[in-house]
Amino acid sequence: MSTQAVIELVDIHKSFGQLEVLKGVDVAVAPQELVFIIGPSGSGKSTLLRCCNLLEQPSNGQVLFKGEDISQPGVNIDQVRQHIGMVFQSFNLYPHMTALGNITLALRKVKKMPRGEANERAQAALERVGLAEKAASHPTELSGGQQQRVAIARAIALEPDMMLFDEPTSALDPELVGGVLNVMRDLREAGMTMIVVSHEMRFAQEAADRVLFMDEGVILEQSPPDELFNNPQHARTREFLARVTDH
């Protein structure tokens, strides 16, 4: 890879007790690339994603962010995480705070931004996710899809270098999924580097630069979506796709 990868995982292993979840995974993600990770439940996708910002500490291997090994002891991981936004399956919003308050919290606490500037930045982030008019709403007054878009706004307000999405639509009613995927499409068009774990296969086919198929803790196959979906090389990939896609 000629340009330096934004993030590179080198020989990542992760065990929980006797259970080996990741078995030597290598991934490099280029600037502005959207990498999609698919695979059956329990294949290690979310664990791999959580190793990217050290929410899970790898048992072995290195995590390089912009060339720096952030898995070394002594690295200020909170500082690193300001540059790696993450959106989870559950929205993790504070129920007692408005949408705006949820977004400004990290800006004020982490970035030490004055309230006025934080409010402006948060309002701009809400506008990007199509919720400018919901700034004063509390999470209970928002649909699941809107809450997830607020969670995305909270992450992008910190102006990260890359975004991680862990099953961002799996807790949503089907009719609310499209709004979240549209926001992710817009982010991609704006040049955000992204790693997405999701079962939204159609979105992977349309939006990804590269799709990784994981099974039993290893990456069995990776290629551009057209190749992977239309001409999978590995029997396990073919089997998985036959179950989850409509062709």
Side-chain angles (χ1 to χ4, degrees):
M1 199 168 281
S2 52
T3 49
Q4 187 186 49
V6 178
I7 198 157
E8 190 170 358
L9 304 178
V10 183
D11 193 28
I12 293 292
H13 292 256
K14 178 65 182 176
S15 296
F16 296 99
Q18 295 300 301
L19 180 67
E20 196 181 6
V21 178
L22 299 174
K23 305 170 184 174
V25 177
D26 294 292
V27 183
V29 179
Q32 303 193 344
E33 190 178 22
L34 195 170
V35 172
F36 220 95
I37 306 177
I38 64 171
S41 290
S43 56
K45 307 183 297 292
S46 290
T47 303
L48 183 67
L49 198 68
R50 293 166 74 89
C51 285
C52 292
N53 62 359
L54 302 189
L55 282 177
E56 295 292 355
Q57 188 71 40
S59 311
N60 217 326
Q62 291 175 299
V63 182
L64 305 174
F65 180 65
K66 296 181 148 184
E68 185 197 350
D69 185 352
I70 60 170
S71 45
Q72 294 273 30
V75 169
N76 180 346
I77 193 59
D78 290 331
Q79 204 167 5
V80 173
R81 284 189 190 131
Q82 290 182 42
H83 301 279
I84 306 177
M86 183 150 190
V87 176
F88 300 88
Q89 186 172 343
S90 54
F91 326 122
N92 299 344
L93 299 176
Y94 291 106
H96 62 287
M97 292 179 141
T98 62
L100 196 78
N102 267 286
I103 299 169
T104 56
L105 187 65
L107 294 172
R108 298 202 330 265
K109 294 272 186 275
V110 177
K111 293 260 193 215
K112 307 286 186 243
M113 222 177 245
R115 187 177 290 270
E117 194 185 334
N119 284 349
E120 271 173 44
R121 174 89 67 94
Q123 192 62 51
L126 279 171
E127 206 154 301
R128 278 186 76 179
V129 301
L131 291 175
E133 76 293 350
K134 297 290 187 188
S137 302
H138 285 77
T140 50
E141 302 168 287
L142 301 171
S143 71
Q146 290 171 330
Q147 289 184 57
Q148 189 60 293
R149 282 150 61 195
V150 171
I152 295 173
R154 177 178 56 188
I156 61 175
L158 289 165
E159 299 184 341
D161 296 302
M162 71 175 298
M163 290 278 288
L164 308 173
F165 289 89
D166 190 9
E167 297 280 8
T169 59
S170 63
L172 301 180
D173 293 334
E175 70 272 17
L176 301 175
V177 168
V180 172
L181 296 183
N182 285 338
V183 169
M184 293 168 71
R185 260 190 207 97
D186 292 346
L187 283 177
R188 180 192 191 285
E189 279 167 24
M192 179 63 78
T193 306
M194 294 156 72
I195 306 179
V196 180
V197 168
S198 174
H199 56 272
E200 298 289 342
M201 297 297 153
R202 186 162 297 160
F203 182 62
Q205 283 173 284
E206 289 169 14
D209 294 300
R210 186 160 44 116
V211 180
L212 276 48
F213 174 71
M214 277 188 83
D215 192 30
E216 296 187 352
V218 293
I219 294 170
L220 287 183
E221 185 168 350
Q222 54 178 309
S223 56
D226 278 358
E227 279 176 45
L228 191 113
F229 285 100
N230 298 320
N231 188 21
Q233 300 300 301
H234 201 284
R236 285 293 294 120
T237 318
R238 287 196 289 274
E239 205 178 299
F240 174 76
L241 290 174
R243 284 206 313 272
V244 298
T245 54
D246 37 21
H247 62 258

